[in-house]
């Protein structure tokens, strides 16, 4: 009985997450997120909604499922610490380039099997709409730079050390949301 109470006293300050290595939503600063999203990621699910399972968000697979052209994504930081998104597609995808010259919108199209987005140089929007998956690159005008997405990271947290098991990217337009779930490669 004394041994049982000694073990119980040791385990009480330990959370169930720490004890059993359950995955959790990682609460990180923007600097930590910038570091943790770097690397190679494989797309595993795409959907237009999320569901909760054991208190964590997962991407719902739509019926019929959304089929993404994205195979994988590599995120690296440039010399100044700004992210660069390198998409690899399953087959060539159309990228719509939208430029504003003298306040007039100009659209051109190119096809790519891979595509790098440097958010400090353009604004990238991607997701699904009624016509399927789209990739828009905006240059000029008042767009600034960036990518129309946010990141949620899931994994294990041990003090100030993180193990990321998966990442959900929320993309899309103001009228439709697309969720991309990735796992590290």
């Amino acid at each position: 009985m004394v041994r049982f109470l000694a073990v119980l006293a040791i385990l009480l300050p330990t959370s169930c997450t720490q004890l059993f290595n359950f995955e959790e939503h990682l609460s990180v600063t923007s600097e930590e997120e910038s570091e943790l999203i770097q690397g190679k990621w494989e797309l595993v699910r795409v959907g237009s909604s999320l569901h909760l399972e054991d208190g964590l968000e997962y991407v719902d697979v739509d019926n019929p499922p959304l089929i993404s052209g994205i195979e994988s994504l590599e995120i690296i930081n440039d010399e100044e610490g700004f992210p660069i998104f390198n998409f690899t597609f399953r087959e060539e995808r159309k990228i719509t380039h939208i430029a504003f010259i003298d306040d007039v919108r100009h659209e051109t199209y190119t096809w790519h099997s891979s595509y790098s987005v440097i958010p400090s140089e353009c604004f990238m929007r991607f997701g699904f709409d009624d016509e399927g998956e789209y990739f828009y690159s905006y240059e000029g005008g008042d767009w600034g730079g960036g990518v129309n997405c946010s990141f949620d990271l899931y994994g294990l947290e041990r003090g100030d050390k993180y193990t990321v098991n998966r990442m959900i990217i929320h993309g899309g337009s103001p009228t439709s949301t697309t969720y991309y779930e990735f796992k590290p490669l």
Side-chain angles (χ1 to χ4, degrees), residues 119-136:
S120 61
E121 297 178 7
C122 70
F123 180 80
M124 179 76 175
R125 182 178 297 278
F126 65 98
F128 279 81
D129 60 18
D130 293 339
E131 297 177 16
E133 192 171 33
Y134 59 84
F135 297 90
Y136 296 136

Side-chain angles (χ1 to χ4, degrees), residues 143-163:
W143 290 102
V147 177
N148 74 314
C149 61
S150 61
F151 306 90
D152 282 314
L153 301 173
Y154 300 87
L156 303 175
E157 182 176 345
R158 298 283 183 265
D160 61 351
K161 301 220 185 276
Y162 301 96
T163 302

Side-chain angles (χ1 to χ4, degrees), residues 72-154:
S72 62
L73 171 63
E74 181 179 20
I75 303 172
I76 59 173
N77 282 349
D78 66 13
E79 315 77 51
E80 297 173 12
F82 294 108
I84 298 172
F85 297 84
N86 298 307
F87 292 93
T88 300
F89 301 116
R90 298 179 199 293
E91 55 189 42
E92 285 197 337
R93 300 297 295 185
K94 180 173 81 171
I95 307 290
T96 304
H97 303 275
I98 300 171
F100 292 88
I101 302 168
D102 297 326
D103 293 328
V104 177
R105 179 182 167 128
H106 299 274
E107 285 189 21
T108 58
Y109 307 95
T110 56
W111 292 84
H112 299 270
S113 57
S114 62
Y115 189 73
S116 292
V117 179
I118 304 171
S120 61
E121 297 178 7
C122 70
F123 180 80
M124 179 76 175
R125 182 178 297 278
F126 65 98
F128 279 81
D129 60 18
D130 293 339
E131 297 177 16
E133 192 171 33
Y134 59 84
F135 297 90
Y136 296 136
S137 175
Y138 296 87
E139 298 171 13
D142 295 327
W143 290 102
V147 177
N148 74 314
C149 61
S150 61
F151 306 90
D152 282 314
L153 301 173
Y154 300 87

